[in-house]
């Protein structure tokens, strides 16, 4: 069973608002966006396009794979699918906005911070997420959020990028019992 949290119109509206907030905090000069593979990549690309519309120029955009930086890589990922990181710019001295689809425990973001720092020392790192679902295990908080929602046990957020746009749904776990 699923419930629509964000449809493509709401996602587009929210990303436009967030792009405006990012631009208000210093424009695109010395800004770079890094999407966390996989869910953050398409969102970072969309934000880059929106920033180009707003500011007349686009910040450099890259992506980072955090698989080997996860603190549970050895136990939770017996056959990890490692993808390439692509950061075709110098991060040193830049204002970097990490972009991801869902923020939950904070462990993915912790891994992404470690991965970015391997490329150099940015002036500042900010976080943008499509959905902040609460339930943090680490003291990590997004700077930019399209939607915040508190979920109960057995619920999760599913983000899908389809031909008609991006959808975020609340999914009920099928492992809660019953027939």
């Amino acid at each position: 069973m699923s419930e629509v949290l964000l449809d493509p119109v709401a996602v587009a509206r929210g990303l436009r608002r967030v792009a405006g907030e990012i631009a208000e905090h210093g424009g695109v000069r010395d800004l770079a966006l890094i999407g966390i593979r996989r869910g953050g990549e398409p969102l970072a690309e969309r934000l880059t396009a929106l920033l180009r519309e707003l500011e007349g120029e686009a910040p450099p955009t890259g992506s980072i794979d955090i698989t080997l930086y996860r603190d549970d890589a050895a136990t939770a990922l017996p056959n990890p699918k490692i993808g390439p990181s692509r950061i075709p710019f110098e991060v040193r001295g830049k204002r970097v906005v990490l972009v991801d689809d869902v923020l939950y425990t904070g462990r993915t973001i912790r891994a992404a911070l470690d991965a970015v720092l391997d490329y150099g020392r940015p002036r500042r790192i900010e976080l943008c997420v499509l959905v902040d679902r609460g339930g943090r295990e680490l003291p990590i908080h997004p700077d930019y959020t399209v939607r915040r929602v508190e979920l109960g046990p057995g619920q999760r957020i599913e983000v899908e990028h389809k031909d008609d746009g991006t959808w975020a749904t609340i999914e009920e776990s099928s492992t809660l019992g019953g027939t």
Side-chain angles (χ1 to χ4, degrees):
M1 184 172 145
S2 68
E3 170 190 341
V4 174
L5 180 65
L6 295 167
D7 63 18
V9 172
V11 169
R13 186 181 311 115
L15 289 176
R16 183 168 298 284
R17 176 183 48 78
V18 165
E21 291 173 7
I22 291 170
E24 286 176 8
H25 289 103
V28 295
R29 186 166 185 259
D30 295 325
L31 173 69
L33 301 181
I34 299 177
I36 299 173
R37 289 194 72 238
R38 299 180 224 251
E41 286 177 297
L43 298 171
E45 291 168 9
R46 288 180 68 182
L47 284 168
T48 297
L50 289 165
L51 286 163
R52 179 183 292 118
E53 287 177 24
L54 290 170
E55 298 290 297
E57 64 179 295
T61 304
S63 63
I64 196 139
D65 186 293
I66 54 99
T67 305
L68 295 178
Y69 291 86
R70 292 178 55 104
D71 59 7
D72 62 353
T75 56
L77 304 170
N79 296 313
K81 291 182 173 58
I82 301 167
S85 290
R86 184 185 57 79
I87 301 181
F89 50 85
E90 178 69 44
V91 299
R92 186 172 19 98
K94 290 213 182 297
R95 175 178 153 228
V96 170
V97 176
L98 282 174
V99 182
D100 204 7
D101 53 0
V102 178
L103 175 58
Y104 181 29
T105 64
R107 294 190 179 283
T108 295
I109 304 308
R110 188 217 45 86
L113 291 168
D114 286 346
V116 167
L117 291 173
D118 277 353
Y119 283 86
R121 184 176 178 181
R123 177 175 48 85
R124 178 178 174 90
I125 300 176
E126 299 173 346
L127 176 60
C128 174
V129 297
L130 184 66
V131 179
D132 177 357
R133 62 153 288 168
R136 217 80 72 241
E137 294 175 4
L138 299 173
I140 291 175
H141 184 77
D143 299 282
Y144 313 100
T145 305
V146 171
R147 180 81 187 266
R148 285 185 177 84
V149 64
E150 290 292 326
L151 297 185
Q155 293 181 308
R156 72 181 195 291
I157 301 290
E158 188 71 35
V159 176
E160 292 183 273
H161 304 283
K162 300 179 180 180
D163 290 340
D164 64 344
T166 301
W167 293 82
T169 56
I170 299 173
E171 305 290 329
E172 298 290 333
S173 175
S174 60
T175 60
L176 293 178
T179 55

